[in-house]
Amino acid sequence: MAEAHLLVAAQCERAEAALEPAARSDEFNEGALNLFTPPAQLLAEPAATEAIRRIVPGLLDTELLTVRGAGTLLQIAAFAGHPGRAQLTTLADELARLFPPAPTHDHGDARR
């Protein structure tokens, strides 16, 4: 009986996530590694792998990662219907913290 309750809870969580507005393509791309980074590149970084496993348990266990050219984590999440926006935001923020974007160098006005 407890197993049935856990199944219903998981289905409810996925249904609630499906009701959230879809992520826009300009979201989740703040860090040098982000939700648009190819999964193989993310998995090559132990800190990124740990963050993904901690924040979105099970996402790295999906069979979609084994398909060549399966897409980004954001695309896989959209296709699988899991995780929801809150977890994606938390993951994107953590990746940006762990892998900040390279600083841009402003050399002033180029016409000087």
Side-chain angles (χ1 to χ4, degrees), residues 49-81:
T49 301
E50 187 278 327
I52 296 166
R53 289 197 185 283
R54 179 173 37 86
I55 296 168
V56 190
L59 184 61
L60 295 181
D61 301 324
T62 178
E63 293 175 358
L64 292 173
L65 285 176
T66 64
V67 176
R68 183 174 172 90
T72 66
L73 287 184
L74 188 58
Q75 291 168 327
I76 291 169
F79 183 76

Side-chain angles (χ1 to χ4, degrees), residues 12 16 32 34-35 41 49-50 53 58 68 74 77 99 106:
C12 183
E16 288 173 352
N34 55 60
L35 299 186
Q41 189 177 343
T49 301
E50 187 278 327
R53 289 197 185 283
R68 183 174 172 90
L74 188 58
F99 306 98
D106 184 11

